[in-house]
Amino acid sequence: MRILVTGSTGHLGSALLNQLKGSKNEVKITSRKKPKGIEHFEWIYSDLFSGEGLEEAAKDVDVIIHSATSPNKHSKVVEVTGFNVFLKRAQHIKHFIYPSIVGIDKIPIKYYKHKLEAEILLKNSSIPHTIVRSTQFHHFIDDLFLSRAVLNRYFVPGNFKCQSVDVNEFANHLLGIVDKGPQGKIEDFGGPDIGTLKEMADLKIKINNENNKVLSISLPGKLFKAFSNGENTNFSRKMGRITFEGYLRSKIT
Ligand SMILES: NC(=O)c1ccc[n+]([C@@H]2O[C@H](COP(=O)([O-])OP(=O)(O)OC[C@H]3O[C@@H](n4cnc5c(N)ncnc54)[C@H](OP(=O)(O)O)[C@@H]3O)[C@@H](O)[C@H]2O)c1
């Protein structure tokens, strides 16, 4: 089988490539920056914003795992209009796998709205596909909220609920989907625990023996309410095994 992984320099893309090294499949990869250590793969420059390289990327490929994304810059173009052009170049694909995010239909974030539009474009296309939503990755929560203490304080929206998951486990799940074939929209993939950001910050402080404290902030508005209600979690889909604590400990050793 010939597999294309887009977004090969990203967190999910890199995790996929690690697991595809040595596989029997022929693997093509895309990104704008050329990743290092990719002698196992054919790399193609491709940009969802300009459209460059999309046709060449999809050419002679059976399966696409689309992990390219741009949440902060040109999100509408990369996630929706550029994605739609990509789908037009990928009409021959036997299986298009789209990693999405739990709660995108309930949480008012522009990027999530764009991802939902992309899900709909794929659903309405004639391309055989699988759409699978994951909860946030451990590193994403860590980098976004807990990367830096200011005046010995982590300022976090402490009530936010999280069910973070290890990106390698999600990558492994996606590769299992390659073997199963197109299934449409399938059940979510969630992390093993649901906890608040305050609890996660306290855990980080304890594990790293830090002198920092957590200052929990709370704001009005639909966004805060959605995350505090845990719209980004799925209690019945605790699929990953590596906990946030396990992720933090693996960073120490
Ligand atoms: N992060 C999370 O917590 C999370 C949770 C659930 C699902 N997901 C989903 O998982 C997927 C991968 O997320 P990630 O966190 O691994 O993303 P990431 O680390 O930000 O990586 C994004 C990738 O997209 C590429 N890219 C950016 N702009 C591009 C453009 N204009 N054209 C082509 N490629 C472009 C980047 O490479 P270059 O800059 O080199 O082009 C990079 O390889 C996304 O669909 C995301 O929604 C993420």
Side-chain angles (χ1 to χ4, degrees), residues 6-13 30-34 46-49 66-71 78-79 98-102 111 115 134-137 139-140 167 170:
T6 68
S8 57
T9 51
H11 289 94
L12 181 60
T30 65
S31 51
R32 292 166 306 165
K33 290 177 240 77
K34 189 171 183 176
S46 138
D47 186 351
L48 285 149
F49 182 70
H66 185 57
S67 27
T69 193
S70 182
V78 173
E79 308 303 326
Y98 185 75
S100 194
I101 305 177
V102 172
Y111 172 61
K115 286 210 59 103
S134 159
T135 51
Q136 278 80 29
F137 304 147
H139 69 83
F140 176 78
V167 67
F170 185 49

Side-chain angles (χ1 to χ4, degrees), residues 49-61:
F49 182 70
S50 66
E52 194 178 335
L54 297 180
E55 185 156 1
E56 201 192 337
K59 201 172 137 196
D60 301 328
V61 162

Side-chain angles (χ1 to χ4, degrees), residues 88-153:
K88 291 203 167 67
R89 308 283 175 267
Q91 293 297 311
H92 58 284
I93 295 297
K94 296 192 185 109
H95 190 183
F96 193 107
I97 301 175
Y98 185 75
S100 194
I101 305 177
V102 172
I104 55 168
D105 46 346
K106 301 195 178 98
I107 302 171
I109 292 179
K110 228 183 221 174
Y111 172 61
Y112 284 8
K113 181 174 165 278
H114 297 154
K115 286 210 59 103
L116 190 60
E117 286 178 48
E119 280 191 3
I120 294 166
L121 283 172
L122 183 57
K123 258 190 230 164
N124 292 341
S125 77
S126 56
I127 303 171
H129 60 267
T130 304
I131 296 168
V132 55
R133 295 180 180 175
S134 159
T135 51
Q136 278 80 29
F137 304 147
H138 292 315
H139 69 83
F140 176 78
I141 300 291
D142 193 16
D143 295 348
L144 187 63
F145 295 109
L146 308 175
S147 62
R148 207 163 65 94
V150 178
L151 302 171
N152 286 104
R153 299 277 185 283

Side-chain angles (χ1 to χ4, degrees), residues 161-181:
K161 293 204 177 65
C162 294
Q163 186 182 357
S164 61
V165 72
D166 186 88
V167 67
N168 296 298
E169 290 187 310
F170 185 49
N172 188 258
H173 184 59
L174 295 180
L175 293 175
I177 291 169
V178 172
D179 295 333
K180 286 188 183 142

